[in-house]
Amino acid sequence: MTHNPASAIQDLLVFGEFGDVNPSVTDSVTYTFLSPKTMEEVFEHEIEGCFLYSRHWNPINRYLSQALAGMEGTEAAQVTASGMSAITSTMMQLAGAGDEVVSARTIYGGTFALLKNFLPRFGVTTRFVDITDLKAIEKAITPKTKVLYAETVSNPLLEMADIPALAQLAHAHGIKLVIDNTFVPMLITPAAHGADVVVYSLTKFANGTSDAVAGCICGSKELIGKLTDVNSGACMLMGPVLDSTRAASILKNLHSLHVRMRQHSKNAMALAQWLSAKGLKVHYPGLESHPQHALFGKLMRPDMGFGGMMTLDAKDAATASKLMAAMQKDLVGYLAVSLGYFKTLFSAPGSSTSSEIPKDTQAAMGLTSGLIRFSVGLDDDIERTIGRVETSLKSVGLLR
Ligand code: PLP
């Protein structure tokens, strides 16, 4: 693959006001103009190096956006205050009253709720499909469909979207393919496989320190221009602007993302292999038992591994709860939602991050009540961690 996301970020040369190695953090919401005429012009069209008002653009948000566009290989990008605002703004820009969306059914619970409960209030309805069933997707597309939506690797079941096939299908019907790549930054670059828009929760792996909520939309210059249009842009008018101090810290963390993703992948692979060898039911794209293992192999950067997310079926909700409490006590990691942190995090999605999804839909998706989602951390000694997991599993009777 010619596009190297880490190198694209590394090659962005941005200095601070005094030649500082990090760009200066802009601590202002508004910007002065030497002439009223230039101000009028900036309202009409963008002028390189000119800023108007921070909700529209500010320098550090622009640098972070450029880094993310570089990472994804898209023409442009726009950072936002959260992953949800990136998704909401994208959907509201691309679809309006009377339009339809076709979406994978196994997606983050918040996105599911947005599409199922919230957007219908504005006349945008969604048909949910099994994203691995291309025939069902094609059947769900109607002349009103504007967007095909999926996650590269779905939350929480780690189902893989066949992005090239979805792009072909979407483009044959003149609709946009929007992919949430939150789980696998650097590992897979959806735009290189045909996605039109790539959205992120930067809150997770991209930032990696669980200290900031942020999001991003990567796409064409035309789309980003529309999103930031002062008269009709979803980002400009709904206003999910990322705080500039947070943008500055995320930009710094982005430079170590490739190193972190390799370590997340290495540790998750070791833990998944060990659990699987013990006869436990594990979902991890790096295992040959994963239904889309070969597809992941086809789309990934070969040197980055299969990512830090895995799930373990702990049989039932009660055992899952006991196991998570034991793992927290045994210092495996934290019982907490979210992902992409340097420590291991685990939670039961059926009663937490996917609780917005009705129980019958959860059952149809294969989301069982005993399912535990792991975001495997950056542990230096994963064998030590595996020893601790073994202790926890034995204490709840899942291992002898
Ligand atoms: N997309 C995915 C795959 C997620 O897991 C999440 C949050 O968990 C989001 C989007 C929403 O991101 P945020 O919490 O930054 O709004």
Side-chain angles (χ1 to χ4, degrees), residues 100-104 125-127 129 137 140-142 145 147-149:
E100 291 178 2
V101 174
V102 173
S103 169
T125 51
T126 297
R127 292 160 192 254
V129 290
I137 300 170
I141 296 172
T142 75
T145 311
V147 177
L148 176 57
Y149 184 91

Side-chain angles (χ1 to χ4, degrees), residues 82-85 87 108 111 149 151 155 180 182-183 200-204 213-215 338-339 353 373:
S82 65
M84 277 317 299
S85 61
I87 296 165
Y108 166 59
T111 313
Y149 184 91
E151 294 172 0
N155 186 352
D180 180 336
T182 299
F183 273 29
Y200 269 100
S201 167
L202 300 178
T203 317
K204 320 295 178 184
V213 177
S338 202
L339 51 124
T353 49
R373 184 187 76 180

Side-chain angles (χ1 to χ4, degrees), residues 194-230:
D196 300 289
V197 187
V198 184
V199 289
Y200 269 100
S201 167
L202 300 178
T203 317
K204 320 295 178 184
F205 289 102
N207 184 41
T209 40
S210 282
D211 56 356
V213 177
C216 186
I217 306 159
C218 303
S220 64
K221 269 194 188 141
E222 189 195 354
L223 174 70
I224 303 304
K226 282 186 178 167
L227 285 162
T228 52
D229 187 282
V230 291

Side-chain angles (χ1 to χ4, degrees), residues 49 59 95 124 133 149 181 185 189 194 230 235 262 269 294 310 320 343 345 366 368-369 378 394 400:
V124 178
D133 185 346
Y149 184 91
N181 204 44
T189 41
V230 291
C235 285
R262 284 199 185 96
M269 181 66 120
M310 51 162 277
K343 284 203 171 210
L345 302 179
T368 53
S369 60
L378 299 175
K394 283 181 176 163
R400 284 182 193 282

